[in-house]
């Protein structure tokens, strides 16, 4: 593998250093997009996205009822979305939920996620109950971290397989099972406990952080303005979902600034100005909720604020949230990214993770400083950063291994190994994650294998023409796309395993 040269005087210019060109081809990106789509559909199917209603026996006969998540806090959040929808139908604008769970005022637990649920309901033209829209929203939030993973990987010029591997970790590692603190950002917190707003805030904070990294490092790129708009939208959504997520945003922005200064780039000043512009616009958009937080701070009274008892307690929870091997991989990735100057996005992610852990530890030792933050609820953002750095570390190790072997075409082989590792994690998830383990599916016939060969042929020879019924000549890429769409629309009819 040959290293790309850098202009003298700019040793840390964002270029895809010692990487195969295969990982950057449009074909490779399309393949990985297809894998992400398939993985998301598989997960959504396992979580019930295509089984939104059930027929139940009632006094008057059989009736259709929404099939939604109903454990712990899920009913509360679904009811908030239903209340918001009812007020909008009546021409009103909901600002306050008087009978809020635990006595939290609406300013401290705003209606950001409820608005997302109503938006999902509207996008489906009101054809599903709002309770079903809650199910779809929870599944969407569970899978959305892949956007942040993808942006970080592509900012460093890496194969999207890094993002897919991180997503596989998000799906396969439920986090929080058997822990005193179940706020892990994974399946346990989001689906089982229903802490939707906490995970949503951290998810959008991750996406906002990733886009801010891209804004800082790719200032001369044509998509910078779109990245800035995306960062503003994501951080605003995170704030209105849960203001607690601002802790991750602030630490992430500081990590970006430190990373830029560390790089000593000539464009450092311009990059900092772009990041500051995003921060200023976002602050203006979030001012209503921020002013309410300051004005009504004295109303925030709860019986018991949760916090880590000791630093050892925090470290133990950090390990079990993502599993000890993943935490070790992430720690290794953080150290390597700080030393390897070719990957500034990974370095900024490592700085953000280190800074976030220090802030969490400091607040845990000083619980009276900002008790409302409840430090265990800060864990989801840390989980996402940890998963990405662990996936990055796996890629880095495979890349170094292949470089030592001296093989050619390492990009495709590394992609294949990343996919294999992600597949193994998903097999484990299918047998270990509670919500997946209880769902049965069939695999009838060889349709999945046939589609595999068809998609492979369409990828390698997209313009190859084949004859349909000896009448119509059609390019194989269009045939593959049509059959994939048919499979996707057939998911609710069963045999999902056969399609995969």
């Amino acid at each position: 593998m040959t290293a790309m040269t850098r202009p003298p005087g700019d040793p840390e210019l964002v270029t895809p250093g010692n990487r195969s060109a295969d990982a950057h081809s449009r074909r490779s990106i399309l393949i990985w997009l297809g894998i992400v789509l398939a993985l998301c559909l598989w997960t959504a199917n396992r979580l019930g996205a295509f089984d939104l209603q059930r027929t139940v026996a009632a006094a008057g006969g059989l009736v259709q009822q929404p099939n939604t998540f109903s454990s712990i806090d899920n009913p509360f959040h679904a009811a908030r979305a239903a209340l918001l929808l009812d007020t909008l139908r009546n021409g009103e604008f909901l600002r306050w939920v008087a009978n809020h769970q635990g006595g939290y005022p609406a300013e401290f637990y705003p209606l950001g996620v409820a608005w997302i649920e109503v938006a999902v309901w509207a996008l489906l033209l009101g054809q599903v109950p709002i309770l079903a829209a809650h199910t779809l929203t929870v599944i969407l939030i569970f899978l959305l971290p892949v956007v942040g993973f993808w942006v970080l990987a592509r900012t460093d010029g890496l194969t999207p397989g890094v993002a897919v591997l991180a997503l596989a970790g998000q799906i396969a590692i439920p986090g929080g099972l058997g822990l005193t603190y179940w706020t892990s950002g994974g399946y346990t917190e989001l689906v089982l406990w229903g802490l939707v707003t906490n995970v949503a805030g951290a998810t959008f904070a991750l996406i906002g952080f990733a886009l801010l990294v891209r804004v800082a490092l790719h200032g001369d790129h044509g998509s910078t303005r779109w990245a800035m708009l995306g960062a503003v939208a994501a951080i605003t959504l995170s704030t209105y979902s849960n203001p607690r997520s601002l802790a991750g945003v602030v630490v992430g922005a500081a990590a970006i600034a430190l990373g830029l200064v560390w790089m000593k780039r000539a464009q450092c000043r311009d990059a900092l100005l772009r990041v500051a512009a995003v921060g200023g616009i976002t602050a203006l958009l979030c001012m209503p909720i921020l002013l309410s937080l300051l004005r009504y701070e004295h109303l925030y009274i709860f019986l018991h604020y949760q916090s880590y008892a000791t630093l050892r307690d925090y470290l133990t929870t950090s390990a079990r949230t993502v599993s000890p091997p993943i935490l070790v991989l992430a720690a290794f990735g953080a150290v390597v990214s700080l030393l390897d100057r070719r990957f500034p996005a990974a370095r900024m992610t490592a700085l953000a993770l280190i800074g976030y852990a220090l802030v969490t530890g400091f607040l845990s030792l000083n619980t009276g400083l900002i008790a409302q933050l409840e430090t265990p609820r800060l864990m989801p953002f840390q989980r996402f950063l940890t998963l990405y750095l662990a996936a990055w570390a796996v890629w880095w190790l495979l890349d170094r291994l292949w470089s030592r072997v001296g093989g050619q075409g390492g990009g495709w082989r590394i992609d294949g190994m990343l996919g294999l590792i992600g597949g193994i994690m998903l097999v484990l998830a299918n047998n270990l994650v509670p919500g997946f383990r209880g769902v049965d599916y069939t695999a009838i016939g060889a349709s999945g294998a046939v589609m595999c060969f068809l998609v492979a042929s369409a990828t390698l020879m997209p313009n190859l023409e084949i004859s349909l019924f000896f009448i119509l000549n059609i390019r194989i890429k269009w045939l593959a796309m049509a059959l994939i769409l048919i499979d996707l629309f057939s998911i609710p009819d069963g045999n999902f395993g056969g399609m995969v």
Side-chain angles (χ1 to χ4, degrees):
M1 299 174 70
T2 59
M4 295 183 64
T5 59
R6 297 183 179 87
D10 193 7
E12 298 186 349
L13 186 66
V14 180
T15 55
N18 211 18
R19 280 151 277 178
S20 169
D22 291 341
H24 304 279
S25 68
R26 181 176 299 179
R27 182 182 301 172
S28 173
I29 293 175
L30 290 176
I31 291 173
W32 280 114
L33 279 174
I35 293 173
V36 168
L37 178 62
L39 183 54
C40 290
L41 286 172
W42 176 80
T43 305
N45 179 68
R46 301 290 279 172
L47 293 178
F50 303 103
D51 184 23
L52 296 175
Q53 290 190 321
R54 291 285 179 89
T55 301
V56 297
L62 298 178
V63 295
Q64 290 284 331
Q65 290 292 334
N67 181 29
T68 188
F69 301 126
S70 56
S71 56
I72 319 297
D73 277 10
N74 276 299
F76 160 69
H77 290 294
R80 290 201 332 149
L83 177 61
L84 176 60
L85 180 60
D86 287 342
T87 58
L88 293 174
R89 282 172 169 169
N90 295 330
E92 301 170 359
F93 188 80
L94 183 63
R95 297 181 59 192
W96 184 271
V97 181
N99 56 342
H100 198 288
Q101 173 181 321
Y104 287 92
E107 279 80 9
F108 291 93
Y109 223 170
L111 298 168
V113 173
W115 277 104
I116 296 174
E117 293 176 6
V118 171
V120 170
W121 175 85
L123 287 174
L124 296 175
L125 304 179
Q127 295 303 302
V128 299
I130 190 64
L131 297 182
H134 170 75
T135 299
L136 295 176
T137 302
V138 170
I139 295 172
L140 177 65
I141 292 170
F142 183 59
L143 297 171
L144 264 182
V146 71
V147 176
F149 300 149
W150 187 288
V151 172
L152 287 172
R154 296 305 298 156
T155 299
D156 268 342
L158 303 181
T159 167
V162 176
V164 176
L165 184 58
L167 174 63
Q170 164 71 356
I171 296 170
I173 304 171
L177 292 174
L179 288 174
T180 303
Y181 310 103
W182 23 257
T183 48
S184 62
Y187 174 89
T188 302
E189 178 179 3
L190 181 59
V191 180
L192 289 185
W193 281 84
L195 301 183
V196 184
T197 57
N198 200 52
V199 181
T203 299
F204 290 120
L206 170 72
I207 297 173
F209 167 73
L211 289 170
L212 267 183
V213 170
R214 190 167 186 86
V215 166
L217 296 175
H218 287 195
D220 55 347
H221 198 276
S223 61
T224 301
R225 291 184 179 178
W226 289 108
M228 293 178 71
L229 289 174
V232 169
I235 298 173
T236 302
L237 274 173
S238 74
T239 305
Y240 279 93
S241 296
N242 195 326
R244 184 182 287 109
S245 60
L246 280 175
V249 173
V250 172
V251 172
I256 293 172
L258 180 58
L260 288 171
V261 174
W262 192 345
M263 290 171 62
K264 299 179 181 179
R265 293 184 60 184
Q267 305 94 333
C268 177
R269 179 176 176 275
D270 293 338
L272 289 174
L273 287 176
R274 289 193 298 272
V275 172
V278 171
I281 296 172
T282 305
L284 290 175
L285 292 174
C286 298
M287 198 57 66
I289 190 70
L290 297 177
L291 290 177
S292 296
L293 281 169
L294 295 174
R295 181 179 179 183
Y296 299 108
E297 187 272 341
H298 63 285
L299 296 179
Y300 190 100
I301 301 173
F302 197 49
L303 295 178
H304 174 67
Y305 293 122
Q306 198 176 38
S307 181
Y308 296 112
T310 62
L311 282 180
R312 182 178 179 179
D313 199 17
Y314 165 59
L315 293 175
T316 301
T317 304
S318 298
R320 294 187 62 182
T321 291
V322 293
S323 80
I326 297 297
L327 184 63
V328 171
L329 268 175
F332 173 79
V335 172
V336 172
S337 64
L338 294 177
L339 299 176
D340 194 333
R341 300 185 301 172
R342 298 169 301 155
F343 309 101
R347 176 187 289 179
M348 291 176 179
T349 305
L351 291 172
L353 178 58
I354 294 170
Y356 197 72
L358 291 174
V359 169
T360 304
F362 174 77
L363 292 175
S364 296
L365 294 177
N366 299 272
T367 55
L369 191 61
I370 312 179
Q372 292 92 334
L373 278 178
E374 296 189 282
T375 48
R377 295 180 182 264
L378 301 177
M379 184 57 72
F381 186 72
Q382 177 178 314
R383 169 192 170 95
F384 298 146
L385 298 180
T386 303
L387 288 174
Y388 177 77
L389 282 175
W392 182 88
V394 171
W395 174 88
W396 189 91
L397 289 170
L398 292 174
D399 187 61
R400 297 287 76 74
L401 176 63
W402 195 261
S403 298
R404 287 184 177 274
V405 172
Q408 299 297 320
W412 281 106
R413 288 170 174 80
I414 292 173
D415 281 1
M417 287 186 279
L418 288 173
L420 177 62
I421 296 170
I424 293 172
M425 295 179 70
L426 292 175
V427 169
L428 293 175
N430 193 62
N431 292 277
L432 298 178
V433 178
F436 289 9
R437 191 172 57 226
V439 181
D440 296 326
Y441 64 88
T442 58
I444 303 172
S447 54
V450 173
M451 284 298 297
C452 174
F453 283 106
L454 178 62
V455 172
S457 301
T459 301
L460 295 174
M461 301 172 290
N463 295 319
L464 175 67
E465 291 190 351
I466 59 176
S467 178
L468 292 181
F469 309 110
F470 305 101
I471 298 175
L472 177 65
N473 289 334
I474 184 173
R475 291 183 177 179
I476 191 172
K477 62 182 179 181
W478 303 123
L479 178 63
M481 290 181 184
L483 292 177
I484 289 174
L485 287 175
I486 291 173
D487 266 1
L488 295 180
F489 284 113
S490 301
I491 286 175
D493 298 331
N495 194 27
F496 185 76
M499 296 173 190
V500 174

